[in-house]
Amino acid sequence: MANKRPKPEEIVSKLRQVEVLMGQGMSRLDAIRQIGVVEQTYYRWRKKYGGMGVDQLKELKRLQKENERLRRAVSDLTLDKLILTEAAKGNY
């Protein structure tokens, strides 16, 4: 059975947990192992979610959904315009 991917909220929590462990004097590698991920995964997460709070993460997800919705709307309108342009050329 494949491992399920952690949700972004869980990732932010794990990144904070590493920071706390390092603040308590634990080495970075030991802290990364403590949360149960490999070093590469930790650095990828840190690059994507580093310094982000849960509220900021929710806002990011909301903006990504809105952006996708707007892209679809523009795509649909562009397609409609092309169809109307082709139809108008046929009427002359």
Side-chain angles (χ1 to χ4, degrees), residues 82-92:
L82 289 173
I83 291 170
L84 290 173
T85 304
E86 288 296 320
K89 284 182 185 177
N91 288 337
Y92 290 111

Side-chain angles (χ1 to χ4, degrees), residues 14-88:
K14 287 185 177 192
L15 289 174
R16 284 198 182 145
Q17 188 177 358
V18 169
E19 291 175 11
V20 168
L21 291 171
M22 286 174 43
Q24 294 173 350
M26 188 179 282
S27 73
R28 182 179 304 242
L29 288 176
D30 290 338
I32 292 170
R33 288 185 193 123
Q34 181 80 25
I35 65 168
V37 297
V38 294
E39 192 175 0
Q40 182 180 5
T41 301
Y42 167 76
Y43 286 115
R44 187 170 13 101
W45 286 354
R46 197 176 81 175
K47 182 178 178 183
K48 188 170 183 178
Y49 300 107
M52 202 179 283
V54 176
D55 291 338
Q56 292 170 326
L57 186 61
K58 287 179 183 178
E59 180 67 12
L60 174 66
K61 288 167 71 175
R62 187 190 66 76
L63 290 172
Q64 286 174 338
K65 279 185 178 180
E66 178 70 10
N67 191 23
E68 181 62 31
R69 186 186 67 78
L70 291 173
R71 284 178 191 246
R72 268 190 258 115
V74 168
S75 175
D76 291 346
L77 291 173
T78 303
L79 183 60
D80 289 347
K81 180 183 174 192
L82 289 173
I83 291 170
L84 290 173
T85 304
E86 288 296 320

